[in-house]
Amino acid sequence: MMRRTTTLTGLTMAAALALSACGGQQDRSGDSGADAESCETGQGRLNIATGNSTGVYYVIGGGLAKLVNDKTDLQASSAETGASVQNIQQVVAGDYDAGFSLADTAADAVNGTGSFSEKQDIRTLGRVYDNYTQVVVRKGADIDSVEDFKGKTISTGSPKSGTEVIANRLIETAGLDLKDVKRQRLDLTKTVDGMKDGSIDGLVWSGGLPTPAITDLLTSMGDDVEFIDITGQLKDMQEVNEVYEEASIPADTYDLSEDVPTISVPNVIVVREDMEDNVACALTTLMIDEKDALVQVHPAAEEIDAETMTETGPVPLHDGSERALEEAK
């Protein structure tokens, strides 16, 4: 089930470190061999849940696993998944030790709302970087706003992904019923293929900047596609979940003529409460100390900061991570 990747990225580093030391599904509460009061990783295995193969989670997750394997005594692996909702479910079930998630999905999990029928006992290693809601449409599809999704074929992301959560909320806060839209629950690779062959009118994607598959789409289709501004729905989105923020996609991200106003949501790395304190501490410290190296593998790591990592909303920080962030200030 697990897939070893070779790309190095900052966020994954941290996640992998925490996971290996935690012991994985086979040894959910196993001892890493290090003092719980320390900030040492000890030994063990780390299994990391990432996301779509053409998204930033996947790249960062693979990089994290490689870094952990190269720099620690932990043995780490990462796997492609459907992302946020699935990751939380499988971290809680013990299939993975850590996983990437959008903060809105993680907030739903701890509150027992949205995709979760009951409260989930999860913690976070901290806020790492922001995802940007990227809504791209074919120019010939006559779509100027989310309201224009009515009757159109729109990819709303992989099932049980954070993208799907946001896409559905955008549709509903635009005053539409989900049945009004011909929703395609596709991963990003299939979504981009559908945009290229004309079978999909538009897509919603929540990801870091730049997202490789979006770069590919814009490079391939050029002026035949465009971003749309969704910030008019921000207030209504914030009434659904407080974590949504106003942001913009810088023009140079995708060689655009101007910045694109949009809605962002933070990313967090989720773990179980029973992860050893020393492992969580070591993982969090690694992300902070190795920030420059992480920026070299993916620019999203530029946002890693000891001050903002504590901004996790209703999702509690793991005790070990909280200790690490206090010491880093």
Side-chain angles (χ1 to χ4, degrees):
M1 182 173 73
M2 297 300 173
R3 176 180 301 175
R4 179 70 56 83
T5 61
T6 56
T7 306
L8 178 63
T9 88
L11 294 183
T12 20
M13 278 185 212
L17 177 56
L19 296 176
S20 338
C22 182
Q25 182 182 19
Q26 296 178 342
D27 186 16
R28 180 166 175 172
S29 58
D31 187 353
S32 66
D35 183 352
E37 297 300 318
S38 74
C39 206
E40 301 293 332
T41 64
Q43 297 180 337
R45 296 191 61 84
L46 172 65
N47 302 319
I48 307 167
T50 63
N52 289 180
S53 62
T54 51
V56 178
Y57 283 175
Y58 183 81
V59 176
I60 291 178
L64 168 57
K66 184 178 187 300
L67 180 65
V68 170
N69 287 330
D70 290 347
K71 300 296 185 181
T72 78
D73 292 330
L74 299 174
Q75 297 179 8
S77 62
S78 63
E80 179 181 359
T81 69
S84 299
V85 176
Q86 178 185 343
N87 288 355
I88 290 174
Q89 291 173 336
Q90 294 191 289
V91 165
V92 171
D95 297 328
Y96 297 98
D97 303 297
F100 292 90
S101 175
L102 288 172
D104 60 338
T105 303
D108 287 346
V110 298
N111 291 324
T113 58
S115 300
F116 303 91
S117 59
E118 58 184 28
K119 296 181 179 180
Q120 305 297 304
D121 188 15
I122 58 171
R123 299 291 185 271
T124 177
L125 299 176
R127 173 176 178 163
V128 283
Y129 69 97
D130 289 353
N131 262 20
Y132 294 76
T133 308
Q134 302 168 60
V135 183
V136 184
V137 301
R138 292 190 301 104
K139 285 188 177 179
D142 296 324
I143 301 174
D144 296 316
S145 67
V146 177
E147 292 180 356
D148 295 330
F149 281 6
K150 186 173 183 178
K152 303 296 172 54
T153 303
I154 305 294
S155 175
T156 53
S158 300
K160 296 187 177 181
S161 67
T163 290
E164 183 176 53
V165 171
I166 289 176
N168 289 345
R169 286 176 175 171
L170 283 172
I171 291 169
E172 291 174 331
T173 56
L176 301 177
D177 188 284
L178 295 180
K179 295 179 181 179
D180 293 334
V181 181
K182 298 175 183 177
R183 292 179 297 141
Q184 302 296 305
R185 304 173 74 194
L186 302 174
D187 65 28
L188 193 52
T189 299
K190 292 178 181 177
T191 295
V192 170
D193 289 344
M195 290 286 287
K196 290 178 180 179
D197 66 25
S199 61
I200 294 177
D201 298 314
L203 67 86
V204 178
W205 168 252
S206 179
L209 300 178
T211 295
I214 300 299
T215 300
D216 171 51
L217 174 64
L218 296 173
T219 300
S220 300
M221 297 194 67
D223 293 337
D224 292 332
V225 294
E226 62 184 345
F227 285 90
I228 63 172
D229 181 354
I230 58 171
T231 53
Q233 294 176 230
L234 177 60
K235 183 177 179 180
D236 290 334
M237 291 286 284
Q238 288 174 328
E239 291 180 0
V240 176
N241 196 306
E242 63 188 40
V243 303
Y244 297 114
E245 302 172 354
E246 185 170 3
S248 64
I249 301 170
D252 60 4
T253 304
Y254 298 117
D255 194 24
L256 305 171
S257 60
E258 59 184 5
D259 294 352
V260 178
T262 191
I263 295 172
S264 67
V265 59
N267 285 296
V268 296
I269 297 175
V270 298
V271 298
R272 294 183 298 274
E273 187 276 336
D274 65 2
M275 173 176 279
E276 295 176 17
D277 286 1
N278 56 289
V279 175
C281 180
L283 171 59
T284 304
T285 300
L286 177 65
M287 287 192 286
I288 296 169
D289 291 348
E290 298 297 326
K291 175 178 176 177
D292 290 344
L294 298 178
V295 171
Q296 291 181 18
V297 295
H298 198 284
E302 184 65 48
E303 298 180 41
I304 295 174
D305 183 85
E307 293 292 334
T308 57
M309 286 183 76
T310 62
E311 298 174 3
T312 60
V315 188
L317 278 168
H318 192 285
D319 289 346
S321 295
E322 187 171 8
R323 172 158 57 89
L325 293 172
E326 284 296 325
E327 294 175 356
K329 292 180 180 180

